Amino acid sequence: MAGAGRARTGLSPCATPEAAIARLVEIYDASCAALRRDFDAYAKDGAAPDLAARAAGAYRYPKLAVSYRPDGPPPPISRAFGKFAAAGDYAATIARPRLFTSYLKEQLSLLVEQYDCEIFVGPGEDEIPYPYAIEGAAGIDADAATPSDLARLFPTPDLAVTDDAIANGYADAPTDGPYPLSLFTGPRTDYSLQRIAHYTGTPAEDFQQFILFTNYHRYVDEFVRLGLERLGSDGYQTICGPGGCAVRAGDKRDAAPLLEDVAWRKYQMPAHHLKRPDGMGVSLVNIGVGPSNAKTITDHLAVLRPQCWVMVGHCGGLRHSQRLGDYVLAHAYLRYDNVLDADLAPEIPVPPIAEVQLALAEAAGKRAGSREELKRRMRTGTVVTNSDRNWELRYSEEARRFNQSRAIAVDMESATIAANGFRFRVPYGTLLCVSDKPLHGEIKLPGAANRFYERAISEHMAIGLEAIELLAKDGGKSLHSRKLRSFDEPPFR
């Protein structure tokens, strides 16, 4: 490969994954400390930062490189990730390495255990934008100078290096540099970590490896109730929500009112987390209604590399035989959401993930009590995700396409979540509950709606949690289907 070894220029070898991670943390912390110190000095006294030190790399993200140069071709390995597609140098800048310690250790260990490769760490080329480093830093006044002055003296977010070219498959094969080591660069990761806190009201550190999405707030209340019941068992130690509210195992007195009283209304997509020390708990995000929100939050949560995400919410049933409260297990999606068309062409199929499908079906079967009852209450088929909530006003045009697709339900989020899972290699699934039947004159009237909610939401959320717990039994090892990865992928999951 042209430019052989250039990925390692200025980097130091690390003997083990642990040593590499420690060095990543050291460089990142030093860069952030320098940025905060210089910003604080400028904000308080007008002292300009040392531009020579900046040019030498004082504010840069750390860079992780792995060099694999065998005598022959890479051996064939069947697993979905933790493997090299070709010999050469691989590199990525790393944001917030403390947050990603477990992930980095797992990915690097898979490589060094299987291949004769070398790890290198050092300062990268990309600088840490000052808003990312000083956010929440005690004692620093971020409003003490004009934005133009700050942009002249300190690094600001650079959208030219903050994109999804690698994940989208647009990144050209390198001719004079390294292959990408992961799907996301440091700046892209940092950008999303900031957005996660903004939209959900909770820091990225609170998010667990298994994520549930819903489109209705009553599901949040039920998640909190079921989470409180689980505290102290199965490794669950804490449940927390927006605004810093948290309840720990053994301290449940008045916990439900405490969680319900948090200022979740301040946030566009509030999140609650049923946490385990190993991160293998469950996070619930109320994304609200519409594909735009669904794309926005999954764009950002993807950088956390969750084990999977699953949609549990309401839908309109399209078949006469369906009844309110029946379930729909999506095994295909008709994408009328449009928000991802520029990133994932509509003609690209979004396949079901068998492991998630089986877990959802098994959890639903436990609640149904018998195979016959499950067959009566759950249909498997195509879900239409429409960006127009008032599609009924174009009934004649829409009904023809629904018929052609053999769709059994319609909603506004599921296909978006599945398509972004496919795009970002995050296993996905959908289990919806029929809340109305727009084609058959059964709409949600206030009285009937309340009775439906009281009956259905508790069971539906319990199924979602049980399915996640089934998937988490092996730490998610069975989840990462090769069908989500192309033939030319970065080594990291």
Side-chain angles (χ1 to χ4, degrees), residues 391-411:
W391 62 266
E392 296 98 328
L393 301 180
R394 298 191 316 278
Y395 169 74
S396 298
E397 297 90 339
E398 298 290 347
R400 181 180 296 112
R401 185 58 60 86
F402 289 0
N403 260 336
Q404 290 175 332
S405 69
R406 311 302 193 266
I408 63 172
V410 58
D411 80 340

PDB file of all heavy atoms in Angstrom, residues 391-411:
ATOM      1  N   TRP A 391     -51.831  10.527   6.221  1.00  0.00           N
ATOM      2  CA  TRP A 391     -51.866   9.788   4.959  1.00  0.00           C
ATOM      3  C   TRP A 391     -53.277   9.354   4.586  1.00  0.00           C
ATOM      4  O   TRP A 391     -53.583   9.125   3.408  1.00  0.00           O
ATOM      5  CB  TRP A 391     -50.949   8.571   5.046  1.00  0.00           C
ATOM      6  CG  TRP A 391     -51.355   7.576   6.111  1.00  0.00           C
ATOM      7  CD1 TRP A 391     -50.884   7.520   7.383  1.00  0.00           C
ATOM      8  CD2 TRP A 391     -52.320   6.534   5.990  1.00  0.00           C
ATOM      9  NE1 TRP A 391     -51.496   6.500   8.078  1.00  0.00           N
ATOM     10  CE2 TRP A 391     -52.386   5.866   7.242  1.00  0.00           C
ATOM     11  CE3 TRP A 391     -53.135   6.077   4.965  1.00  0.00           C
ATOM     12  CZ2 TRP A 391     -53.223   4.790   7.488  1.00  0.00           C
ATOM     13  CZ3 TRP A 391     -53.979   4.994   5.199  1.00  0.00           C
ATOM     14  CH2 TRP A 391     -54.016   4.362   6.456  1.00  0.00           C
ATOM     15  N   GLU A 392     -54.162   9.241   5.586  1.00  0.00           N
ATOM     16  CA  GLU A 392     -55.535   8.821   5.291  1.00  0.00           C
ATOM     17  C   GLU A 392     -56.237   9.772   4.325  1.00  0.00           C
ATOM     18  O   GLU A 392     -57.178   9.371   3.613  1.00  0.00           O
ATOM     19  CB  GLU A 392     -56.364   8.729   6.581  1.00  0.00           C
ATOM     20  CG  GLU A 392     -55.884   7.659   7.564  1.00  0.00           C
ATOM     21  CD  GLU A 392     -55.016   8.238   8.666  1.00  0.00           C
ATOM     22  OE1 GLU A 392     -54.305   9.227   8.389  1.00  0.00           O
ATOM     23  OE2 GLU A 392     -55.049   7.724   9.795  1.00  0.00           O
ATOM     24  N   LEU A 393     -55.777  11.024   4.286  1.00  0.00           N
ATOM     25  CA  LEU A 393     -56.393  11.993   3.385  1.00  0.00           C
ATOM     26  C   LEU A 393     -56.045  11.715   1.921  1.00  0.00           C
ATOM     27  O   LEU A 393     -56.614  12.340   1.020  1.00  0.00           O
ATOM     28  CB  LEU A 393     -55.961  13.412   3.765  1.00  0.00           C
ATOM     29  CG  LEU A 393     -56.313  13.841   5.204  1.00  0.00           C
ATOM     30  CD1 LEU A 393     -55.833  15.253   5.478  1.00  0.00           C
ATOM     31  CD2 LEU A 393     -57.814  13.719   5.449  1.00  0.00           C
ATOM     32  N   ARG A 394     -55.110  10.803   1.684  1.00  0.00           N
ATOM     33  CA  ARG A 394     -54.809  10.331   0.335  1.00  0.00           C
ATOM     34  C   ARG A 394     -55.096   8.831   0.251  1.00  0.00           C
ATOM     35  O   ARG A 394     -54.308   8.063  -0.299  1.00  0.00           O
ATOM     36  CB  ARG A 394     -53.333  10.597  -0.009  1.00  0.00           C
ATOM     37  CG  ARG A 394     -52.930  12.058  -0.020  1.00  0.00           C
ATOM     38  CD  ARG A 394     -51.528  12.245  -0.624  1.00  0.00           C
ATOM     39  NE  ARG A 394     -50.586  11.251  -0.118  1.00  0.00           N
ATOM     40  CZ  ARG A 394     -49.944  11.350   1.040  1.00  0.00           C
ATOM     41  NH1 ARG A 394     -50.152  12.405   1.824  1.00  0.00           N
ATOM     42  NH2 ARG A 394     -49.118  10.411   1.430  1.00  0.00           N
ATOM     43  N   TYR A 395     -56.202   8.448   0.788  1.00  0.00           N
ATOM     44  CA  TYR A 395     -56.509   7.029   0.978  1.00  0.00           C
ATOM     45  C   TYR A 395     -56.411   6.237  -0.324  1.00  0.00           C
ATOM     46  O   TYR A 395     -55.806   5.156  -0.362  1.00  0.00           O
ATOM     47  CB  TYR A 395     -57.905   6.859   1.576  1.00  0.00           C
ATOM     48  CG  TYR A 395     -58.386   5.428   1.539  1.00  0.00           C
ATOM     49  CD1 TYR A 395     -57.869   4.485   2.416  1.00  0.00           C
ATOM     50  CD2 TYR A 395     -59.322   5.019   0.591  1.00  0.00           C
ATOM     51  CE1 TYR A 395     -58.279   3.170   2.376  1.00  0.00           C
ATOM     52  CE2 TYR A 395     -59.751   3.706   0.546  1.00  0.00           C
ATOM     53  CZ  TYR A 395     -59.225   2.785   1.427  1.00  0.00           C
ATOM     54  OH  TYR A 395     -59.625   1.479   1.380  1.00  0.00           O
ATOM     55  N   SER A 396     -56.961   6.727  -1.391  1.00  0.00           N
ATOM     56  CA  SER A 396     -57.001   5.957  -2.639  1.00  0.00           C
ATOM     57  C   SER A 396     -55.601   5.634  -3.139  1.00  0.00           C
ATOM     58  O   SER A 396     -55.315   4.498  -3.550  1.00  0.00           O
ATOM     59  CB  SER A 396     -57.764   6.732  -3.719  1.00  0.00           C
ATOM     60  OG  SER A 396     -59.101   6.934  -3.333  1.00  0.00           O
ATOM     61  N   GLU A 397     -54.688   6.640  -3.090  1.00  0.00           N
ATOM     62  CA  GLU A 397     -53.329   6.397  -3.557  1.00  0.00           C
ATOM     63  C   GLU A 397     -52.558   5.476  -2.606  1.00  0.00           C
ATOM     64  O   GLU A 397     -51.837   4.579  -3.045  1.00  0.00           O
ATOM     65  CB  GLU A 397     -52.580   7.726  -3.695  1.00  0.00           C
ATOM     66  CG  GLU A 397     -53.161   8.685  -4.719  1.00  0.00           C
ATOM     67  CD  GLU A 397     -54.197   9.622  -4.123  1.00  0.00           C
ATOM     68  OE1 GLU A 397     -54.764   9.306  -3.055  1.00  0.00           O
ATOM     69  OE2 GLU A 397     -54.448  10.667  -4.723  1.00  0.00           O
ATOM     70  N   GLU A 398     -52.707   5.721  -1.311  1.00  0.00           N
ATOM     71  CA  GLU A 398     -51.932   4.962  -0.328  1.00  0.00           C
ATOM     72  C   GLU A 398     -52.401   3.517  -0.235  1.00  0.00           C
ATOM     73  O   GLU A 398     -51.584   2.593  -0.096  1.00  0.00           O
ATOM     74  CB  GLU A 398     -52.027   5.624   1.045  1.00  0.00           C
ATOM     75  CG  GLU A 398     -51.466   7.033   1.107  1.00  0.00           C
ATOM     76  CD  GLU A 398     -49.964   7.074   0.979  1.00  0.00           C
ATOM     77  OE1 GLU A 398     -49.332   6.014   1.097  1.00  0.00           O
ATOM     78  OE2 GLU A 398     -49.424   8.164   0.765  1.00  0.00           O
ATOM     79  N   ALA A 399     -53.703   3.287  -0.301  1.00  0.00           N
ATOM     80  CA  ALA A 399     -54.226   1.936  -0.124  1.00  0.00           C
ATOM     81  C   ALA A 399     -53.693   0.984  -1.194  1.00  0.00           C
ATOM     82  O   ALA A 399     -53.430  -0.187  -0.919  1.00  0.00           O
ATOM     83  CB  ALA A 399     -55.757   1.954  -0.143  1.00  0.00           C
ATOM     84  N   ARG A 400     -53.497   1.487  -2.413  1.00  0.00           N
ATOM     85  CA  ARG A 400     -52.985   0.624  -3.483  1.00  0.00           C
ATOM     86  C   ARG A 400     -51.583   0.134  -3.147  1.00  0.00           C
ATOM     87  O   ARG A 400     -51.263  -1.046  -3.292  1.00  0.00           O
ATOM     88  CB  ARG A 400     -52.984   1.383  -4.807  1.00  0.00           C
ATOM     89  CG  ARG A 400     -52.485   0.544  -5.974  1.00  0.00           C
ATOM     90  CD  ARG A 400     -52.498   1.320  -7.284  1.00  0.00           C
ATOM     91  NE  ARG A 400     -53.870   1.678  -7.658  1.00  0.00           N
ATOM     92  CZ  ARG A 400     -54.338   2.917  -7.672  1.00  0.00           C
ATOM     93  NH1 ARG A 400     -53.541   3.924  -7.300  1.00  0.00           N
ATOM     94  NH2 ARG A 400     -55.577   3.179  -8.016  1.00  0.00           N
ATOM     95  N   ARG A 401     -50.713   1.053  -2.700  1.00  0.00           N
ATOM     96  CA  ARG A 401     -49.343   0.644  -2.370  1.00  0.00           C
ATOM     97  C   ARG A 401     -49.316  -0.253  -1.130  1.00  0.00           C
ATOM     98  O   ARG A 401     -48.519  -1.197  -1.059  1.00  0.00           O
ATOM     99  CB  ARG A 401     -48.476   1.891  -2.140  1.00  0.00           C
ATOM    100  CG  ARG A 401     -46.989   1.587  -1.917  1.00  0.00           C
ATOM    101  CD  ARG A 401     -46.379   0.821  -3.080  1.00  0.00           C
ATOM    102  NE  ARG A 401     -46.473   1.553  -4.315  1.00  0.00           N
ATOM    103  CZ  ARG A 401     -45.580   2.460  -4.726  1.00  0.00           C
ATOM    104  NH1 ARG A 401     -44.534   2.740  -3.973  1.00  0.00           N
ATOM    105  NH2 ARG A 401     -45.717   3.059  -5.876  1.00  0.00           N
ATOM    106  N   PHE A 402     -50.143   0.020  -0.146  1.00  0.00           N
ATOM    107  CA  PHE A 402     -50.218  -0.854   1.021  1.00  0.00           C
ATOM    108  C   PHE A 402     -50.587  -2.270   0.596  1.00  0.00           C
ATOM    109  O   PHE A 402     -50.032  -3.259   1.092  1.00  0.00           O
ATOM    110  CB  PHE A 402     -51.262  -0.324   2.012  1.00  0.00           C
ATOM    111  CG  PHE A 402     -50.871   0.942   2.728  1.00  0.00           C
ATOM    112  CD1 PHE A 402     -49.658   1.557   2.489  1.00  0.00           C
ATOM    113  CD2 PHE A 402     -51.721   1.509   3.646  1.00  0.00           C
ATOM    114  CE1 PHE A 402     -49.297   2.722   3.137  1.00  0.00           C
ATOM    115  CE2 PHE A 402     -51.379   2.679   4.316  1.00  0.00           C
ATOM    116  CZ  PHE A 402     -50.166   3.290   4.046  1.00  0.00           C
ATOM    117  N   ASN A 403     -51.537  -2.370  -0.316  1.00  0.00           N
ATOM    118  CA  ASN A 403     -51.946  -3.687  -0.800  1.00  0.00           C
ATOM    119  C   ASN A 403     -50.801  -4.393  -1.502  1.00  0.00           C
ATOM    120  O   ASN A 403     -50.547  -5.588  -1.277  1.00  0.00           O
ATOM    121  CB  ASN A 403     -53.126  -3.540  -1.772  1.00  0.00           C
ATOM    122  CG  ASN A 403     -54.457  -3.851  -1.112  1.00  0.00           C
ATOM    123  OD1 ASN A 403     -54.514  -4.563  -0.118  1.00  0.00           O
ATOM    124  ND2 ASN A 403     -55.522  -3.302  -1.658  1.00  0.00           N
ATOM    125  N   GLN A 404     -50.086  -3.674  -2.362  1.00  0.00           N
ATOM    126  CA  GLN A 404     -48.986  -4.276  -3.102  1.00  0.00           C
ATOM    127  C   GLN A 404     -47.880  -4.772  -2.182  1.00  0.00           C
ATOM    128  O   GLN A 404     -47.238  -5.790  -2.454  1.00  0.00           O
ATOM    129  CB  GLN A 404     -48.415  -3.254  -4.086  1.00  0.00           C
ATOM    130  CG  GLN A 404     -49.335  -2.929  -5.247  1.00  0.00           C
ATOM    131  CD  GLN A 404     -48.768  -1.822  -6.120  1.00  0.00           C
ATOM    132  OE1 GLN A 404     -48.013  -0.964  -5.651  1.00  0.00           O
ATOM    133  NE2 GLN A 404     -49.120  -1.850  -7.397  1.00  0.00           N
ATOM    134  N   SER A 405     -47.662  -4.064  -1.086  1.00  0.00           N
ATOM    135  CA  SER A 405     -46.581  -4.440  -0.164  1.00  0.00           C
ATOM    136  C   SER A 405     -46.992  -5.521   0.823  1.00  0.00           C
ATOM    137  O   SER A 405     -46.162  -6.030   1.565  1.00  0.00           O
ATOM    138  CB  SER A 405     -46.121  -3.211   0.626  1.00  0.00           C
ATOM    139  OG  SER A 405     -47.123  -2.800   1.545  1.00  0.00           O
ATOM    140  N   ARG A 406     -48.281  -5.858   0.844  1.00  0.00           N
ATOM    141  CA  ARG A 406     -48.829  -6.833   1.817  1.00  0.00           C
ATOM    142  C   ARG A 406     -48.653  -6.347   3.249  1.00  0.00           C
ATOM    143  O   ARG A 406     -48.491  -7.124   4.181  1.00  0.00           O
ATOM    144  CB  ARG A 406     -48.183  -8.212   1.677  1.00  0.00           C
ATOM    145  CG  ARG A 406     -48.107  -8.780   0.268  1.00  0.00           C
ATOM    146  CD  ARG A 406     -49.461  -8.907  -0.413  1.00  0.00           C
ATOM    147  NE  ARG A 406     -49.375  -9.714  -1.615  1.00  0.00           N
ATOM    148  CZ  ARG A 406     -49.197  -9.229  -2.850  1.00  0.00           C
ATOM    149  NH1 ARG A 406     -49.078  -7.911  -3.026  1.00  0.00           N
ATOM    150  NH2 ARG A 406     -49.123 -10.041  -3.879  1.00  0.00           N
ATOM    151  N   ALA A 407     -48.649  -5.023   3.439  1.00  0.00           N
ATOM    152  CA  ALA A 407     -48.413  -4.454   4.762  1.00  0.00           C
ATOM    153  C   ALA A 407     -49.528  -4.824   5.723  1.00  0.00           C
ATOM    154  O   ALA A 407     -50.699  -4.955   5.336  1.00  0.00           O
ATOM    155  CB  ALA A 407     -48.290  -2.941   4.668  1.00  0.00           C
ATOM    156  N   ILE A 408     -49.158  -4.983   6.988  1.00  0.00           N
ATOM    157  CA  ILE A 408     -50.138  -5.296   8.026  1.00  0.00           C
ATOM    158  C   ILE A 408     -50.255  -4.183   9.067  1.00  0.00           C
ATOM    159  O   ILE A 408     -51.135  -4.231   9.922  1.00  0.00           O
ATOM    160  CB  ILE A 408     -49.814  -6.629   8.730  1.00  0.00           C
ATOM    161  CG1 ILE A 408     -48.472  -6.552   9.458  1.00  0.00           C
ATOM    162  CG2 ILE A 408     -49.833  -7.775   7.739  1.00  0.00           C
ATOM    163  CD1 ILE A 408     -48.196  -7.781  10.318  1.00  0.00           C
ATOM    164  N   ALA A 409     -49.369  -3.174   9.000  1.00  0.00           N
ATOM    165  CA  ALA A 409     -49.424  -2.086   9.984  1.00  0.00           C
ATOM    166  C   ALA A 409     -48.742  -0.860   9.415  1.00  0.00           C
ATOM    167  O   ALA A 409     -47.900  -0.952   8.514  1.00  0.00           O
ATOM    168  CB  ALA A 409     -48.759  -2.495  11.291  1.00  0.00           C
ATOM    169  N   VAL A 410     -49.096   0.308   9.968  1.00  0.00           N
ATOM    170  CA  VAL A 410     -48.485   1.560   9.564  1.00  0.00           C
ATOM    171  C   VAL A 410     -48.090   2.358  10.806  1.00  0.00           C
ATOM    172  O   VAL A 410     -48.833   2.394  11.790  1.00  0.00           O
ATOM    173  CB  VAL A 410     -49.446   2.381   8.666  1.00  0.00           C
ATOM    174  CG1 VAL A 410     -50.764   2.669   9.376  1.00  0.00           C
ATOM    175  CG2 VAL A 410     -48.807   3.697   8.202  1.00  0.00           C
ATOM    176  N   ASP A 411     -46.886   2.951  10.769  1.00  0.00           N
ATOM    177  CA  ASP A 411     -46.458   3.840  11.843  1.00  0.00           C
ATOM    178  C   ASP A 411     -45.577   4.927  11.243  1.00  0.00           C
ATOM    179  O   ASP A 411     -45.542   5.094  10.022  1.00  0.00           O
ATOM    180  CB  ASP A 411     -45.750   3.065  12.966  1.00  0.00           C
ATOM    181  CG  ASP A 411     -44.293   2.742  12.665  1.00  0.00           C
ATOM    182  OD1 ASP A 411     -43.897   2.767  11.479  1.00  0.00           O
ATOM    183  OD2 ASP A 411     -43.538   2.460  13.613  1.00  0.00           O
TER     184      ASP A 411
END
